[in-house]
Amino acid sequence: MPGFNEITFKTTPLSGRGTRTKRRSRSLSTSSADSYSSGSYSSSSEDDGVSPREKSQQNTTGFNDFCVANINQAAFGRREIEIAEQEMPGLILLRKRAENDKPLKGARIIGCTHITAQLAVLIESLGALGASVRWSACNIHSTQNEVAAALAEAGFPIFAWRGETEEDFWWCIEKCIMNDGWQPNMILDDGGDATHVLLKKWPDTFKLIKGIVEESITGVHRLYQLSKTGKLTVPAMNVNDSVTKIKFDNLYCCRESILDALKRTTDIMFGGKQVIVCGYGEVGKGCCAALRGLGAVIYVAEVDPICALQACMDGFRVVTLEAVVRHVDIVITATGNKNVVCRQHLDRLKNGCVVCNMGHSNTEIDVNSLRTPDLTWEKVKRQVDHIIWPDGKRIVLLAEGRLVNLSCSTVPSFVLSITATTQALALIELYNAPAGRYKQDVYLLPKKLDEYVATLHLPNFDAHLTELNDDQARYLGINKAGPFKPNYYRY
């Protein structure tokens, strides 16, 4: 196994709110902000009726550069972080190997991601590797309040709480950027919002950024658009399409968490249910595999003929949404696109149909089209709404169309260890790269780094790699230590 400082890399550039709605409620609050992650058990920031922005809080050392729901939840959050650490061996191993070298010394990182126990392990690892960070949430529903409190207690500037309003969301990002005597030089983004705000409001500061690491398909699309229009003035790393992200987080994480989210919110029985999954990328593949395993009848909607053929070969019927919309019991979007499920589809759904989104962006389901005077919104519980038509038909909408697994359930820590390790190494690579290695473009993670991430996690399974001999390595035309596959290889 190579030491941390023994890795060398090759680089591969890649070119390229709605109308007022009737609402009934069975809960104390009917606000869209009254939402939370079912994986988090502390009370919502809404419960005491005071916005975190109006509270004066400090941790036990007097530190107050943060805005969280309740700093007094820190002890509970710390226990959650400790549990997550046990299931994140690769990231912890990277931290131990690189901590003395401090490869991120001098790095000032703006983070905009989900704030969960697993992400807290990454944040603390970046701090251990020498970085200074300021962090906000990329989703108004997914923050674990007790974890945010634990990070604030540890001295990290965290600006996030579960149930933020849209205005709160942008305020938190700006608080991460605006701080006297602190200027960011790196961005770790999940969706591109921090990148967007910095570029739009502080373009001169944006030009000083050494690198952007982006992990979502939505954020990656935004980076490519900036690159095509010549507005991307700094190098960026596309982590979403790295092998250790797309083949593990997108597939295995979603395969487990989709069931968790649906069970927690609806108590639904999957056997015999008809489900349409819109999109058969890695996320869609994970959802389909999980639901079929519990006896559901799966349909797939796809625009890409290659993905459609994969679905057919995996035994799923490929149809249009319009063809089955009247009959399905569950609709799941996983495309990364917009308006995949529109009002015309929602009007035709059967009574009791469950609708949710597994793609990063909250634009896949046209939720705004449901905020009309003829429809009634009835809050069943946090993250679960009945949308009721005039004839009495109702559908079940989860997380208001936002990412359902991180809004309504928890996700496997081990898979997120793989993703977090990938993000950390991408930050280290961009920050320490010599001048000229990376241009103003979007890059894939170097193959050697992908393999190193996997290597860090194999000891957890007591796995032992076979080693090539010299003759075999010459025959394949590769180095005995890797990389073992060319950049164009599809795993």
Side-chain angles (χ1 to χ4, degrees):
M1 185 182 297
F4 178 80
N5 290 321
E6 297 173 4
I7 304 175
T8 56
F9 314 112
K10 292 183 179 180
T11 60
T12 307
L14 300 181
S15 300
R17 277 290 217 215
T19 314
R20 173 171 249 172
T21 315
K22 293 182 291 182
R23 180 184 281 271
R24 299 186 295 191
S25 175
R26 295 179 182 173
S27 66
L28 293 175
S29 172
T30 59
S31 166
S32 64
D34 186 17
S35 302
Y36 78 123
S37 163
S38 298
S40 180
Y41 302 104
S42 58
S43 60
S44 168
S45 61
E46 295 282 314
D47 289 350
D48 59 11
V50 180
S51 167
R53 291 169 62 178
E54 298 173 6
K55 297 179 181 179
S56 177
Q57 302 184 81
Q58 63 181 25
N59 69 8
T60 55
T61 66
F63 176 75
N64 63 3
D65 187 17
F66 62 86
C67 189
V68 301
N70 186 351
I71 189 64
N72 294 325
Q73 297 173 347
F76 180 37
R78 177 52 54 189
R79 292 195 293 272
E80 290 196 354
I81 295 170
E82 289 170 353
I83 291 174
E85 284 181 342
Q86 297 173 26
E87 269 287 289
M88 302 183 74
L91 182 58
I92 298 301
L93 183 56
L94 173 65
R95 184 197 297 184
K96 290 178 179 177
R97 290 187 178 185
E99 191 168 9
N100 290 335
D101 294 333
K102 292 289 187 290
L104 289 174
K105 184 178 180 180
R108 296 179 296 279
I109 303 170
I110 298 172
C112 185
T113 66
H114 301 282
I115 296 184
T116 61
Q118 297 81 14
L119 232 295
V121 180
L122 172 61
I123 291 171
E124 294 188 334
S125 296
L126 296 178
L129 300 183
S132 168
V133 307
R134 298 179 68 81
W135 225 270
S136 65
C138 69
N139 186 305
I140 63 175
H141 295 322
S142 65
T143 297
Q144 290 178 298
N145 284 340
E146 63 278 6
V147 170
L151 288 168
E153 176 61 33
F156 291 98
I158 303 295
F159 299 86
W161 59 94
R162 185 177 52 247
E164 297 169 8
T165 65
E166 291 290 332
E167 196 271 332
D168 290 334
F169 173 80
W170 298 112
W171 178 86
C172 287
I173 293 177
E174 291 183 8
K175 286 292 290 183
C176 288
I177 298 171
M178 295 186 301
N179 186 56
D180 292 340
W182 193 92
Q183 183 168 286
N185 54 22
M186 299 290 292
I187 299 175
L188 177 56
D189 223 347
D190 187 346
D193 292 316
T195 301
H196 169 76
V197 171
L198 188 59
L199 177 59
K200 182 179 180 180
K201 293 196 170 185
W202 293 275
D204 291 337
T205 301
F206 183 81
K207 293 176 183 177
L208 301 176
I209 295 293
K210 294 193 68 173
I212 301 168
V213 174
E214 173 59 57
E215 77 150 310
S216 78
I217 188 171
T218 305
V220 167
H221 284 167
R222 288 178 170 182
L223 288 174
Y224 285 134
Q225 290 169 354
L226 289 175
S227 180
K228 288 178 181 178
T229 57
K231 296 179 181 179
L232 184 63
T233 57
V234 301
M237 193 76 79
N238 169 8
V239 168
N240 180 71
D241 291 310
S242 66
V243 177
T244 44
K245 168 66 165 61
I246 199 167
K247 289 295 182 180
F248 293 89
D249 191 336
N250 293 26
L251 176 62
Y252 298 116
C253 178
C254 296
R255 190 173 69 183
E256 297 195 14
S257 58
I258 182 60
L259 301 179
D260 189 10
L262 288 170
K263 283 289 189 184
R264 289 192 194 216
T265 51
T266 67
D267 297 320
I268 196 168
M269 176 79 177
F270 295 114
K273 291 294 191 296
Q274 297 191 62
V275 183
I276 184 162
V277 177
C278 301
Y280 201 67
E282 299 303 323
V283 173
K285 288 180 175 71
C287 292
C288 289
L291 291 162
R292 177 165 62 180
L294 291 184
V297 178
I298 311 296
Y299 303 100
V300 171
E302 249 301 345
V303 299
D304 187 324
I306 295 175
C307 293
L309 182 59
Q310 287 180 313
C312 291
M313 298 293 286
D314 286 339
F316 301 115
R317 282 197 60 196
V318 176
V319 299
T320 63
L321 178 58
E322 291 76 10
V324 298
V325 70
R326 292 186 183 276
H327 311 294
V328 293
D329 301 290
I330 304 173
V331 178
I332 301 171
T333 56
T335 68
N337 207 339
K338 63 180 291 188
N339 296 336
V340 177
V341 178
C342 304
R343 178 64 185 267
Q344 62 185 14
H345 303 121
L346 297 163
D347 283 338
R348 297 169 63 195
L349 292 173
K350 66 191 290 187
N351 185 57
C353 183
V354 178
V355 182
C356 64
N357 170 44
M358 279 291 286
H360 175 85
S361 176
N362 63 338
T363 60
E364 300 205 29
I365 302 166
D366 187 7
V367 175
N368 281 337
S369 71
L370 298 174
R371 303 187 189 279
T372 54
D374 59 317
L375 300 183
T376 300
W377 283 59
E378 178 183 73
K379 183 165 285 295
V380 180
K381 54 186 176 180
R382 290 170 180 165
Q383 303 288 34
V384 182
D385 289 291
H386 278 157
I387 315 300
I388 306 171
W389 269 252
D391 64 358
K393 183 195 87 169
R394 63 183 61 198
I395 65 171
V396 182
L397 178 65
L398 304 183
E400 295 185 339
R402 294 181 182 271
L403 187 57
V404 72
N405 61 345
L406 277 161
S407 296
C408 300
S409 69
T410 57
V411 291
S413 296
F414 185 84
V415 171
L416 292 190
S417 175
I418 299 173
T419 299
T421 306
T422 304
Q423 291 170 310
L425 285 171
L427 286 167
I428 292 170
E429 168 65 5
L430 282 176
Y431 183 68
N432 292 283
R437 174 179 289 179
Y438 294 104
K439 312 296 182 184
Q440 299 171 354
D441 206 342
V442 184
Y443 292 80
L444 277 179
L445 195 72
K447 181 70 66 174
K448 189 64 177 176
L449 277 180
D450 261 329
E451 293 179 354
Y452 186 59
V453 171
T455 300
L456 289 170
H457 288 84
L458 288 176
N460 193 64
F461 299 99
D462 193 26
H464 302 276
L465 289 171
T466 301
E467 294 185 8
L468 295 174
N469 61 39
D470 292 338
D471 186 51
Q472 289 172 324
R474 281 194 299 270
Y475 178 78
L476 293 175
I478 62 175
N479 190 296
K480 289 174 62 176
F484 297 96
K485 300 291 190 295
N487 288 317
Y488 56 79
Y489 183 80
R490 302 298 182 193
Y491 288 82

